[in-house]
Amino acid sequence: MTLKKSVSVFGVTGSIGASTVDILKSHADKYSLEAVTAHRNVKALAKAAIELDAKCAVIGDPDYYQELCDALSDTAIEVAAGENALVEAAQRPSDIVIAAIVGAAGLKPTLAAIRRGARVGLANKETLVCAGALMTAEIAKHGATLIPVDSEHSAIFQVLEERAENRIDRILLTASGGPFREWALKDMKTVTRAQALAHPNWEMGAKISIDSATMMNKGLELIEAWHLFPVAEKQIEIVVHPQSVVHSMVEYSDGSVLAQLGSPDMRTPIAYALSWPDRIKVDAPRLDFATIGGLNFEAPDTHRFPALRLARQALQEGGTLPTVLNAANEIAVEAFLEDRIGFLDIAHTVEKVMTRLGSDALTSLEQVFETDAMVRRETSACLASA
Ligand code: NAD
Ligand code: MG
């Protein structure tokens, strides 16, 4: 009999959270549940906690504490609420933490898991975007292990040959191109919320769906990849691949390109983060190459998708600029989702805020939290005065 590994799932009610629950349920002999968390969705949180027999359930918004207590009153599951409770949940002794909160809100709990040397399956890319260098330093200091869940980074992680790390020529980060890949710029002006949310290949939460439509998602992933893998910024190329079958590639100095392929189903990279260095069975749809027929690749268009240019600029200039980019984007996406601004205004807003605030040297995590809060205020003010 093998010992079960204990897992905590942050953001269990989201899209990544639900896929994680699905895997954990089908491998109940291998994994037990420590903590599960959500922001406000008490019903789904309580359901996941009961189904997976979690020891503890935490709701981020304290206004929902009583509702959660009521929902779990017949169980022995511990209940807590608030931002500090999320951090305490990450400090509980689980072997693996799946970090699947969306946005910079995931930073503190992810950091707490890293600081106790846990294995973190990282979906929450915003953590690395806002505080990448500080996070990787914390990982090294505390002997934590970071396994990427983002499909592209999982792909790179899977094809990265440790022995040949200094022989990498390029990382080729694939992008689906989103729903507006073939749209003219003038038509993109009037894009609706529903059109932007309808991703051609992936079913995801609202924020990342909008990020995919603006291609900011690929920009954030560029920064994420730079922090995760030993390459220079210039060595990371983005290539549009509409079928989302090749999840990313690594080119070595002898010209060999290694790719990881699979159907667009996040359960595969999530399972790998849970089972690494082993693999477990996942009933994701299998690729039928004869039906797929062809795989296409094209260069990204930074004119129609300026978010790609902005993210690369943030990576090149460094300091607090990626933190600024991320926070401004979160506020702009929220405004678009609430029909307060148009689709193209998302990247315009981010650019305006980046230009206005510029970049400072990044020295501490406190500075990241302060910058994040300040940029949110500045961006909201900028939108209110527009
Ligand atoms: P989602 O919106 O479906 O779920 C987000 C989760 O975070 C929910 O459980 C929500 O309750 C929780 N949450 C939101 N705000 C919070 C707050 N302030 N405090 C505490 N909890 C909060 O998002 P998702 O699509 O599952 O994405 C989650 C993360 O994974 C994102 O960083 C995203 O970029 C990344 N990711 C997602 C996918 C995907 O296919 N969905 C793929 C790759 C990476
Ligand atoms: Mg991705």
Side-chain angles (χ1 to χ4, degrees), residues 20 43 107 113-114 157 216 227 233 313 326:
T20 309
K43 214 170 146 194
L107 220 157
I114 288 171
F157 182 74
M216 180 59 89
H227 287 294
E233 170 267 319
Q313 182 196 336
N326 182 70

Side-chain angles (χ1 to χ4, degrees), residues 321-343:
L321 204 55
T323 321
V324 174
L325 168 99
N326 182 70
N329 181 58
E330 284 195 36
I331 296 298
V333 168
E334 209 174 86
F336 172 73
L337 284 170
E338 290 168 3
D339 288 327
R340 286 187 278 121
I341 62 172
F343 181 72

Side-chain angles (χ1 to χ4, degrees), residues 362-373:
L362 184 58
T363 52
S364 70
L365 282 156
E366 287 65 41
Q367 190 194 356
V368 171
F369 300 127
E370 281 163 20
T371 305
D372 177 72

